[in-house]
Amino acid sequence: MPNSTCKQTESDLCRDDSAALTLKLVAISSILVAGTMGIAIPLFGRKRSFLATNGNLFIAAKAFAAGVVLATGFVHMLPDGSDNLTNVCLPENPWSKFPFSGFFAMMAALLTFLLDFVGTQLYERKAEKMKRKKGGLTDEPELDGTLDSRSAAAILPADRMPGGHHGVHSGSCGGREESIVGMYAHGHGHDTSDRHVVDLSDDGHGHGHEHSHGYSCSEDSNARHVVISQVLELGIVSHSVLIGLSLGVSHSPCTIRPLVAALSFHQFFEGFALGGCIAQAQFKNLHTIIMACFFALTTPGGIAVGIALASFYNKASPRALIVEGTLDSISAGILVYMSLVDLIAADFMSKRMRSDTKLQVVSYFALFLGASLMSLLAIWS
């Protein structure tokens, strides 16, 4: 492949540095406003009843935003990564011999799942430890597998509960049921979680003692929202930098003009999805402001960096193609995982959604509409 073919990626017929710079400045302003509005609406709206995080309107709007995020991963980032990593300017071996884009996306999704799982576990343990310290409790006793009254504690499945117990509250937390026997017995206050708490006496029968400091459903849910919001921001920010950089180094008004509207739309609804997760995580004000500002400034910042690099940055160089293709693929894997698992499945498999047919219809319509509209933008971007 002649090197001259890989030195220019845009048509000289549409190159206009002055017009391109003007459009880049317009893009910075438009994307900054759209991103700020998108992430601010759920953060401020949570204090209003019509857009509260547990309201139907919020759930439907979040479903639309989840569709936008999903389409961004599948229709925009993954194909871009594949195009870059199979570009004719790269050596045929190994780049054309193996589907690196799909492999990188798959590994990114699996690593995101691992990060999601480990982060949730660590946060739950930290929160539970802090709660025990506030209650003046010692570390939880070790499990020795025995079920007499002198054992430290034991955990039984719900279907193995001993008969004849009293004062036991049963239920489920996110579809799970378990029984905690004698854990944090005689603590301060009643546990309202959906666990079975029983104190076994020597005769093997439970007696009514539910004074537990077990981890409640609301706390478990909050831990998930904290991790989800942080991992989602990681995925969004990683590809926002690439999007901004790609637009910033462009010299073609023909390329930039349709991207301004497309990226503003994209940034608004990605901001809404992230803002909804941040609102549900109930961070402190400073933490919320930092996360919101970081998201809103990332793409405009990427454009500004691209403007500074435009005079000597070659998008068609092998190094640029490999770096951009790899990061595009990784971003796609993160976004696909987060949208399917932590945005769509988390809401659509919830008890509230399953029990409200009207909400199901509206949310599914919003989900498919968001994914379809974001996919259509691939025609121009």
Side-chain angles (χ1 to χ4, degrees), residues 294-306:
F294 193 58
F295 163 79
L297 295 174
T298 301
T299 302
I303 297 174
V305 172

Side-chain angles (χ1 to χ4, degrees), residues 30-39 68 236 239-240 243 261-273 294-300 374:
S30 176
I31 292 171
L32 179 61
V33 171
T36 301
M37 289 179 60
I39 199 168
V68 171
I236 290 176
H239 85 270
S240 293
I243 291 173
L263 293 181
S264 297
F265 175 87
H266 161 267
Q267 196 77 352
F268 178 86
F269 285 103
E270 274 198 345
F272 190 94
F294 193 58
F295 163 79
L297 295 174
T298 301
T299 302
M374 191 63 205

Side-chain angles (χ1 to χ4, degrees), residues 43-330:
L43 293 178
F44 287 103
R46 61 183 172 178
K47 299 179 180 180
R48 303 287 187 269
S49 58
F50 75 96
L51 202 57
T53 56
N54 60 348
N56 289 351
L57 178 60
F58 175 83
I59 294 175
K62 189 179 174 186
F64 183 94
V68 171
V69 175
L70 182 63
T72 300
F74 269 127
V75 182
H76 293 264
M77 304 307 297
L78 192 57
D80 286 350
S82 180
D83 289 344
N84 285 329
L85 293 178
T86 57
N87 193 285
V88 293
C89 297
L90 293 179
E92 184 177 354
N93 188 20
W95 300 105
S96 296
K97 302 295 184 181
F98 183 81
F100 284 99
S101 180
F103 176 75
F104 290 149
M106 177 188 68
M107 295 306 296
L110 292 176
L111 289 174
T112 303
F113 166 70
L114 179 62
L115 180 63
D116 202 5
F117 175 78
V118 173
T120 301
Q121 293 279 65
L122 292 177
Y123 185 86
E124 286 178 350
R125 290 175 184 174
K126 180 180 177 181
E128 191 172 358
K129 186 176 180 181
M130 291 177 62
K131 184 175 180 180
R132 290 202 305 272
K133 285 183 177 180
K134 289 181 180 180
L137 298 172
T138 59
D139 292 339
E140 69 178 77
E142 296 181 356
L143 303 180
D144 62 6
T146 61
L147 292 177
D148 59 77
S149 60
R150 292 173 297 278
S151 66
I155 302 179
L156 294 177
D159 59 358
R160 294 181 56 194
M161 286 297 296
H165 55 272
H166 306 284
V168 179
H169 295 264
S170 63
S172 62
C173 182
R176 296 170 298 170
E177 288 193 48
E178 63 179 5
S179 306
I180 309 299
V181 184
M183 183 171 287
Y184 309 135
H186 305 287
H188 304 284
H190 294 266
D191 183 11
T192 58
S193 67
D194 298 323
R195 293 174 173 179
H196 306 286
V197 183
V198 184
D199 185 16
L200 291 183
S201 62
D202 290 335
D203 60 1
H205 292 82
H207 298 280
H209 293 284
E210 182 164 353
H211 301 281
S212 167
H213 278 270
Y215 206 67
S216 69
C217 292
S218 61
E219 289 169 325
D220 180 71
S221 177
N222 185 65
R224 290 292 302 126
H225 289 308
V226 168
V227 176
I228 287 171
S229 61
Q230 294 176 338
V231 177
L232 179 60
E233 176 145 22
L234 174 65
I236 290 176
V237 165
S238 64
H239 85 270
S240 293
V241 172
L242 293 174
I243 291 173
L245 184 64
S246 179
L247 189 151
V249 299
S250 176
H251 298 279
S252 171
C254 300
T255 300
I256 299 172
R257 192 174 291 110
L259 282 176
V260 175
L263 293 181
S264 297
F265 175 87
H266 161 267
Q267 196 77 352
F268 178 86
F269 285 103
E270 274 198 345
F272 190 94
L274 178 60
C277 292
I278 294 174
Q280 290 175 312
Q282 301 176 358
F283 288 113
K284 293 181 180 179
N285 288 338
L286 179 60
H287 197 146
T288 299
I289 292 171
I290 291 174
M291 292 185 71
C293 291
F294 193 58
F295 163 79
L297 295 174
T298 301
T299 302
I303 297 174
V305 172
I307 292 174
L309 299 177
S311 61
F312 58 87
Y313 181 82
N314 180 15
K315 295 173 63 176
S317 68
R319 179 178 298 178
L321 289 169
I322 292 172
V323 171
E324 287 189 27
T326 301
L327 293 178
D328 278 339
S329 302
I330 291 173

